Amino acid sequence: MTMSLALIAPGAMGAAIARRLTDHGADVMTTLAGRSAGSIERARRAGMRDVDLAQLMHADLLLSVVPPAEAESLARQLAPLMAASEAPPIYCDLNAVSPATLARVERIVHASGAAFVDGGIIGPPPSDRAMPRIYVAGERASSLARLNDLGLDVRVLEGGIGSASALKMCFAGINKGMTALTTLMLIAAGRSGAGGALRAELEHSLPEVVDRIDNGIPDMLPKAWRWHPEMREIADFLDTTAPDGENMAGRHAFEGFAALYEQLGDSARNQEMKRLLDSLIEPSPAKA
Amino acid sequence: MTMSLALIAPGAMGAAIARRLTDHGADVMTTLAGRSAGSIERARRAGMRDVDLAQLMHADLLLSVVPPAEAESLARQLAPLMAASEAPPIYCDLNAVSPATLARVERIVHASGAAFVDGGIIGPPPSDRAMPRIYVAGERASSLARLNDLGLDVRVLEGGIGSASALKMCFAGINKGMTALTTLMLIAAGRSGAGGALRAELEHSLPEVVDRIDNGIPDMLPKAWRWHPEMREIADFLDTTAPDGENMAGRHAFEGFAALYEQLGDSARNQEMKRLLDSLIEPSPAKA
């Protein structure tokens, strides 16, 4: 039987996931009313079928792959339709949201009578060269394992609702936090006349950090404005995860990273920093 | 001509440096009055010659390798002797101190009439397997390059007084900051039922972080009490290095790491965290 999916996914990640699914014979529905020309073109190329919201209720699974700020409003918009449906799709939220937001989405979906699955995507959009891991958690999470037959890499976690989102936050915290830390110290070294020496020392003793300087920082700079609120989400996550009285370590660290990315994302404030970074980054030949 | 050094160095790093120097024929003096039995035994095994403070003034070079909190008091103690000497040794501070402390030490040494060199040691004590880099900066820094003929690895920086200490702070900030960040996120994942999944994801996409989990965290835990004030020194360093209004990023980040290391160093507060970490660390066979 052809599997039927509803995918609310205006961006690059969602379209690339849809493309994998349709290439493997799945029926992927979406709703394009009110979407941008870019989203409509992406959906068309991915082989997605444009339907109205009510028809999405015929899907087996509904995947939400939207900007974090839209995760909750999407659930609210679909709730009456799920409530009116005899067999609403299993609702899987794959967005990078904090535990508090996730809990609100879960409550809305449960109240509508649909089953809820927590999810998180780690890695770049599917392509010839890359395949992200899609982590899912919750009682009905194993329903998503069927997507492994449709060209995706889905991994079911045992930790219950919240563990997939937490995994996504922890991975992003390490990866984007390490880039923030490297950027901070490289700028401080540059301001102290020790930038070139720091780079040479890292080449000797921590070569993976040099890779972060030459590839991670140039990749981050145009996204810093977007990473800034994500660092605040991680600060909230760490705060609520830690016992009372022990929560300042994570909150402080990620508020520091948020401040750095906020500044790097602001062209009126980032010029001295960008100049210093430019002088210490050696783009790899393939990307130069 | 035999080179003559004065080395004020009660710890493992100083003794190992002295051992390299005496093995290469240098005369290494120190003063053991008031030192612990451990320091006296280390000095004896390193071939150091115990003299009184006044005799240290006959050395060509004086190296200060003491705990950061003692860097300034050592300079104060030696200042009258340097002032009374016709040709006092070049005074090189190799300690992990903030720019503010370094500036105070420099002022004391200059006022005594001795030449001052800023320095920083990166890496583990010299041994059969390892050789730290000794970075030096300042007008007279090239005098220390002679130590390269005596079994050490000395690198002269062009950045002027302060750049060697800054380099040491920046490297320590990256290295110990990355361990703090990894520890924070591993604990948060463990508390969220996603610890094992985070480890597996890192094995796939960031294997160098798994090495930090299995080797860096066990190495850090017994030193956390000592890394905690070092993180505060780095917070101060980043604060004074950044322009006004842009200094909260680094200060916040390293105050967060300081809070983590403070907690991990306190056996009354670290039990839940250590239990979580223990369950997620897989010691490598060689160290198990």
Side-chain angles (χ1 to χ4, degrees):
Chain A
M1 201 188 80
T2 305
M3 188 161 178
S4 172
L5 290 109
L7 186 47
I8 315 294
M13 177 65 82
I17 288 176
R19 176 65 192 271
R20 294 288 293 185
L21 292 167
T22 57
D23 279 352
H24 285 76
D27 176 31
V28 181
M29 296 181 277
T30 195
T31 296
L32 295 172
R35 290 291 177 195
S36 70
S39 292
I40 292 170
E41 175 59 19
R42 269 193 297 273
R44 193 191 60 74
R45 275 188 281 165
M48 295 165 94
R49 196 154 60 84
D50 182 21
V51 302
D52 63 30
L53 285 174
Q55 282 177 276
L56 295 177
M57 297 301 117
H58 300 307
D60 303 308
L61 276 178
L62 186 146
L63 306 180
S64 165
V65 187
V66 296
E70 294 177 24
E72 187 177 348
S73 59
L74 177 67
R76 280 192 199 290
Q77 188 186 11
L78 295 174
L81 297 168
M82 295 190 284
S85 168
E86 267 180 51
I90 296 171
Y91 189 108
C92 181
D93 186 305
L94 289 167
N95 307 303
V97 293
S98 69
T101 305
L102 185 80
R104 285 197 301 274
V105 174
E106 182 191 13
R107 228 172 294 132
I108 294 164
V109 172
H110 267 160
S112 80
F116 181 74
V117 172
D118 169 31
I121 306 173
I122 296 181
S127 70
D128 293 344
R129 286 165 294 116
M131 177 55 62
R133 275 77 54 211
I134 300 177
Y135 290 96
V136 290
E139 262 178 57
R140 300 294 296 278
S142 56
S143 314
L144 274 92
R146 286 186 285 165
L147 301 180
N148 285 320
D149 300 327
L150 297 172
L152 296 180
D153 181 350
V154 173
R155 304 184 185 194
V156 180
L157 299 178
E158 302 298 321
I161 297 279
S163 60
S165 295
L167 174 59
K168 165 84 181 162
M169 293 253 148
C170 290
F171 183 82
I174 289 177
N175 199 30
K176 293 171 182 170
M178 283 186 170
T179 297
L181 185 57
T182 305
T183 306
L184 263 177
M185 302 321 287
L186 201 62
I187 290 169
R191 286 173 178 156
S192 308
L198 177 62
R199 195 188 154 92
E201 172 61 35
L202 292 168
E203 279 168 2
H204 175 83
S205 49
L206 290 174
E208 72 271 19
V209 177
V210 179
D211 182 56
R212 209 169 267 283
I213 291 171
D214 291 342
N215 298 302
I217 294 178
D219 179 62
M220 167 276 288
L221 287 171
K223 301 176 189 162
W225 65 274
R226 186 149 57 77
W227 288 13
H228 150 219
E230 193 177 342
M231 295 300 106
R232 293 214 194 280
E233 289 274 311
I234 296 174
D236 287 345
F237 161 68
L238 291 174
D239 199 345
T240 53
T241 312
D244 280 351
E246 309 297 1
N247 36 14
M248 291 322 290
R251 170 160 288 291
H252 269 149
F254 280 85
E255 281 186 349
F257 299 154
L260 175 73
Y261 285 137
E262 183 175 24
Q263 189 183 341
L264 282 172
D266 180 347
S267 58
R269 291 168 67 203
N270 65 13
Q271 294 180 16
E272 179 242 0
M273 294 167 86
K274 278 200 167 173
R275 212 168 33 241
L276 276 171
L277 291 171
D278 270 351
S279 70
L280 295 167
I281 291 169
E282 295 177 12
S284 50
K287 301 204 169 187
Chain B
M1 200 188 81
T2 305
M3 188 161 178
S4 172
L5 291 110
L7 186 47
I8 313 294
M13 177 65 83
I17 287 176
R19 176 64 191 272
R20 294 288 293 184
L21 292 167
T22 58
D23 278 354
H24 285 76
D27 175 33
V28 181
M29 296 181 278
T30 196
T31 296
L32 294 172
R35 291 293 177 193
S36 70
S39 291
I40 292 170
E41 176 58 18
R42 269 193 297 273
R44 193 190 60 74
R45 275 188 281 164
M48 296 166 94
R49 198 154 60 85
D50 181 22
V51 302
D52 63 31
L53 286 174
Q55 281 177 278
L56 295 176
M57 296 303 116
H58 299 307
D60 303 309
L61 277 178
L62 186 147
L63 306 181
S64 165
V65 187
V66 297
E70 294 177 24
E72 188 178 347
S73 60
L74 177 67
R76 280 192 199 290
Q77 189 184 12
L78 294 175
L81 298 168
M82 294 190 284
S85 168
E86 266 181 53
I90 296 171
Y91 189 108
C92 180
D93 187 304
L94 289 167
N95 308 302
V97 293
S98 69
T101 305
L102 185 79
R104 285 198 300 275
V105 174
E106 183 191 12
R107 228 172 294 130
I108 294 164
V109 172
H110 267 160
S112 79
F116 181 74
V117 172
D118 169 31
I121 306 172
I122 297 181
S127 71
D128 293 345
R129 285 164 294 115
M131 178 56 62
R133 275 76 54 212
I134 300 177
Y135 290 96
V136 290
E139 262 178 57
R140 300 293 297 278
S142 56
S143 315
L144 274 91
R146 286 185 285 165
L147 301 179
N148 284 319
D149 299 327
L150 298 170
L152 296 180
D153 181 350
V154 173
R155 304 182 185 195
V156 180
L157 299 178
E158 303 298 319
I161 296 280
S163 61
S165 296
L167 173 60
K168 165 83 182 164
M169 293 253 148
C170 290
F171 183 82
I174 289 178
N175 198 31
K176 294 172 183 169
M178 283 186 170
T179 297
L181 185 57
T182 304
T183 305
L184 264 177
M185 303 321 288
L186 201 61
I187 291 169
R191 285 173 179 156
S192 307
L198 177 62
R199 195 189 153 91
E201 172 60 36
L202 292 169
E203 279 167 3
H204 175 83
S205 49
L206 290 173
E208 72 272 19
V209 178
V210 180
D211 182 56
R212 210 170 267 282
I213 291 172
D214 291 342
N215 298 302
I217 294 178
D219 179 62
M220 168 276 288
L221 287 171
K223 300 176 188 161
W225 64 276
R226 186 149 59 76
W227 289 12
H228 150 219
E230 193 176 343
M231 295 299 107
R232 293 215 194 281
E233 289 274 312
I234 296 173
D236 286 345
F237 161 68
L238 291 173
D239 199 344
T240 54
T241 313
D244 282 350
E246 307 298 359
N247 37 13
M248 291 322 289
R251 169 159 289 293
H252 269 150
F254 279 86
E255 281 184 351
F257 298 154
L260 175 73
Y261 285 138
E262 183 175 23
Q263 190 183 339
L264 282 171
D266 180 348
S267 58
R269 291 167 68 202
N270 66 13
Q271 294 179 17
E272 178 243 359
M273 294 167 85
K274 277 200 167 176
R275 211 166 36 239
L276 277 170
L277 291 171
D278 270 350
S279 70
L280 295 167
I281 291 169
E282 295 177 10
S284 51
K287 301 204 171 187

